[in-house]
Structure formats: C-alpha cells, structure tokens
C-alpha cells in the first residue's frame, strides 16, 4: 500500500481518556483491549444501555437508519448516558459480498466519535467468513442439520414461531434467542412446531453468541486504530484516511482511461487538507480487457 505523507499519532492524544462503548452484546471483549493497548483509551460499557430500541437482528425492531447512522446513534446515546467525550459503537450487516454476490458476507464497522476534537473516524472490515443463515424447517431433524452447518453450539441460534415467509414476527414472545445447547434447541423447536407446521430457524448474529463475528469486529477495530494513527500533515489531527477513490487508470494498450482506480485521496476532517496518491495498487496501467475502447 502506498503511503500518504501523514504523520504519527501523538501518544497523548487518547491516553487515559475515558470512552464509552455502547453495547449490550459484550463487544467490549473484541474492542476494548485493542484500544487500550494501541491508544491507551479507557473503554467502559454504560449501564442501562438498550441497543435493541435502535433495531434488532431478529427484525422485531427495525434498524435505525443505515449501518453507519445506527452506529453513530449508539455512540451518541452512550456518551449521553455517561457524559464521556469519546463514544464508540459497532454495527454489523450481513448479505451478499459486494464483489462476489454469490458469497454471504459480514461487514462490520467500529466508529469512534471524539466530541472534544470534533472528530469521527470509521473502522471497517468485510469478510466472507460468516455462518449467517436461516431456514424454514418442519421437524427436529431438519433443525439439527441446520444447527450443525451453522457451527452450533459454539454459535447461538434463534427460533421463531409463526413467522411470515421472511422470518418476521412483530410478537416478541414468539422469538427465542440465544439458544446455545442441544436441550434448548429441542425445547424451542418442539414448542414452535406446536404453534405452526413450519418453524423459522436462524443464526444468532449477536456478538456474544457469534465468535466468528466477534473476530471480524476485532478486525474492524484494528482498521479504526490504523486510521486514527495517521495524522494530518497540515494540522496533526488523527484519522487522516482515504476519503475518495478516483477512476481513470489508463489502458496499457491505447491509454484510454478505464473505470479502475487511478488514485486515492486522503482528506483531513478538520482542515480539509487533501493529498492524492497515484497508482495505490502499484500498477500504472489497466489490462486492455477492462478498456472501453479495446474491449467495448
Ligand atoms: Zn488537517
Ligand atoms: Zn485500450
């Protein structure tokens, strides 16, 4: 990776400052030690924080806004609960991989807001390593087969009775979350089969029941740290990171600009100083197969 002319984070910027991590799913296990070790931040989890009112994976409460808006809202609520000037939150999403749509993927963001310095930096990780899955089953054997593929019982499961075709119910009492033992699974499926012929079963994506996801959250935290550690060469504010990718990598045969990235732009949130780095992937020409003129 080509570096911009950024500086190194002054050690005292975050050291021993108090930060609130708004979670009720034990994400501090993945996030707090990394921030302590690398930035010196003291991360605490607020009492009485209810992230479920900002949306649930099991859809009985719709998510507040986009993934980024939901994370930002959590961080703000956390800061309000504790009065700390630094708020941290994470938010995950699951769906087809943007570059490989036939593969399921997990995108995690970990956001840090530093109110004292008017700063917001977003760490990100995307991975195809996820057990994210769901199924409608009609008997216990099918449920057990699903469970084996979903890495149960190390990963938790959710059973929903009387759900619609999309696995949605508005009735909280028809959702059993946090199933982590064979006995719980049998009880839940048998109970749900009494309510309807088909039972919706899915992976529990809450971090404390999903070690695979916890690992991706740690990767997003590492990305956040790497971004914070780069400072603006003009004003020294942390988080001097890539704000834009500009297309136009020239075709190797005829020189026509292609849609491939020619340069990346780093920008400072505080002073708007920008730096453009050419050929970030180390290649200066595009394959003619990507050229709109050679290969229309
Ligand atoms: Zn700056
Ligand atoms: Zn060409």
């Amino acid at each position: 990776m080509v570096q911009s002319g950024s500086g190194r984070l002054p050690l005292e910027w975050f050291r021993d400052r108090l930060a609130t991590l708004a979670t009720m799913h034990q994400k501090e296990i993945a996030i707090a030690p990394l921030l302590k070790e690398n930035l010196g931040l003291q991360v605490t989890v607020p009492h009485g924080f209810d992230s479920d009112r900002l949306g649930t994976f099991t859809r009985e409460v719709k998510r507040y806004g986009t993934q980024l808006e939901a994370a930002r809202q959590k961080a703000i609520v956390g800061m309000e609960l504790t009065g700390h000037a630094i708020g941290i939150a994470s938010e995950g999403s699951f769906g087809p991989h943007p570059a490989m749509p036939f593969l399921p993927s997990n995108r995690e963001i970990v956001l840090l807001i530093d109110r004292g310095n008017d700063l917001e930096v977003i760490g990100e990780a995307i991975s195809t390593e996820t057990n994210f899955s769901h199924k409608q089953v009609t008997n216990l054997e099918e449920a057990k087969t699903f469970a084996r593929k979903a890495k149960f019982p190390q990963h938790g499961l959710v059973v929903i009775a009387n759900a619609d075709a999309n696995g949605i119910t508005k009735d909280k009492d028809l959702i059993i979350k946090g199933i982590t033992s064979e006995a719980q699974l049998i009880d839940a499926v048998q109970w749900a089969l009494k309510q309807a012929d088909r039972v919706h079963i899915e992976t529990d994506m809450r971090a404390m029941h999903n070690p695979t996801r916890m690992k991706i959250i740690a990767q997003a935290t590492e990305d956040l740290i790497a971004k914070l550690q780069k400072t603006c060469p003009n004003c020294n504010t942390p988080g001097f990171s890539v704000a834009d990718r500009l297309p136009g990598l020239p075709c190797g045969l005829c020189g026509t600009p292609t849609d491939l990235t020619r340069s990346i732009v780093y920008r400072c949130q505080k002073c708007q100083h920008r730096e453009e780095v050419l050929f970030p992937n180390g290649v200066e020409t595009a394959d003619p197969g990507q050229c709109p003129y050679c290969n229309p």
Side-chain angles (χ1 to χ4, degrees):
M1 187 70 189
V2 180
Q3 297 290 311
S4 72
S6 63
R8 291 286 295 172
L9 180 70
L11 280 175
E12 65 280 8
W13 190 289
F14 290 112
R15 187 184 281 161
D16 297 330
R17 290 180 66 197
L18 294 174
T20 298
L21 171 61
T23 178
M24 50 181 219
H25 298 153
Q26 297 167 21
K27 290 175 183 169
E28 67 275 16
I29 294 170
I31 296 172
L34 288 170
L35 292 178
K36 175 91 177 78
E37 191 181 318
N38 292 283
L39 304 175
L41 257 182
Q42 305 279 351
V43 177
T44 59
V45 174
H47 292 290
F49 174 72
D50 178 10
S51 61
D52 278 357
R53 72 190 177 85
L54 298 172
T56 59
F57 281 120
T58 32
R59 303 167 297 281
E60 71 276 24
V61 184
K62 201 172 169 288
R63 183 165 72 189
Y64 174 97
T66 63
Q67 185 177 10
L68 176 58
E69 285 162 354
R72 189 178 286 142
Q73 193 57 30
K74 281 186 200 168
I76 290 168
V77 171
M79 286 188 282
E80 279 164 2
L81 280 170
T82 58
H84 295 158
I86 298 179
I88 295 157
S90 106
E91 183 79 16
S93 68
F94 303 89
H97 191 279
M100 298 166 277
F102 46 92
L103 287 178
S105 71
N106 171 203
R107 177 178 184 245
E108 294 292 337
I109 59 173
V110 177
L111 168 109
L112 179 144
I113 295 176
D114 179 352
R115 266 189 174 161
N117 293 295
D118 216 3
L119 191 69
E120 176 185 289
V121 181
I122 303 150
E124 187 181 2
I126 185 156
S127 175
T128 55
E129 199 189 343
T130 175
N131 69 334
F132 178 64
S133 181
H134 66 87
K135 198 174 171 51
Q136 306 264 355
V137 299
T138 55
N139 59 58
L140 189 56
E141 272 322 299
E142 282 177 15
K144 284 183 176 172
T145 303
F146 175 87
R148 267 193 300 277
K149 286 186 190 153
K151 302 184 183 174
F152 176 81
Q154 294 78 17
H155 294 68
L157 294 175
V158 176
V159 163
I160 304 177
N162 244 331
D164 68 14
N166 298 315
I168 294 175
T169 175
K170 292 278 175 235
D171 185 352
K172 259 176 70 174
D173 295 337
L174 294 176
I175 305 175
I176 302 179
K177 302 184 193 182
I179 298 168
T180 53
S181 75
E182 183 92 6
Q184 286 174 322
L185 179 64
I186 293 168
D187 278 355
V189 173
Q190 284 175 343
W191 163 82
L193 281 169
K194 284 185 193 138
Q195 330 279 323
D197 294 342
R198 299 178 81 80
V199 172
H200 181 92
I201 181 167
E202 67 183 39
T203 46
D204 193 333
M205 300 316 291
R206 292 175 300 164
M208 75 287 207
H209 290 307
N210 202 304
T212 300
R213 187 175 167 224
M214 203 64 109
K215 212 168 72 182
I216 315 302
I217 294 172
Q219 287 170 13
T221 308
E222 282 164 0
D223 183 56
L224 172 72
I225 292 164
K227 284 176 176 162
L228 286 167
Q229 283 176 333
K230 282 193 174 174
T231 61
C232 170
N234 185 48
C235 75
N236 231 18
T237 298
F240 191 63
S241 51
V242 177
D244 230 341
R245 292 174 186 277
L246 304 178
L249 192 68
C251 168
L253 205 59
C254 73
T256 301
T258 67
D259 286 341
L260 300 182
T261 301
R262 179 174 177 272
S263 66
I264 50 176
V265 179
Y266 290 78
R267 189 159 44 233
C268 173
Q269 289 179 34
K270 196 114 199 181
C271 75
Q272 304 303 320
H273 174 77
R274 73 194 282 288
E275 256 176 44
E276 191 172 342
V277 175
L278 278 172
F279 312 123
N281 302 319
V283 287
E284 303 194 4
T285 57
D287 186 286
Q290 305 284 337
C291 173
Y293 182 75
C294 299
N295 188 21

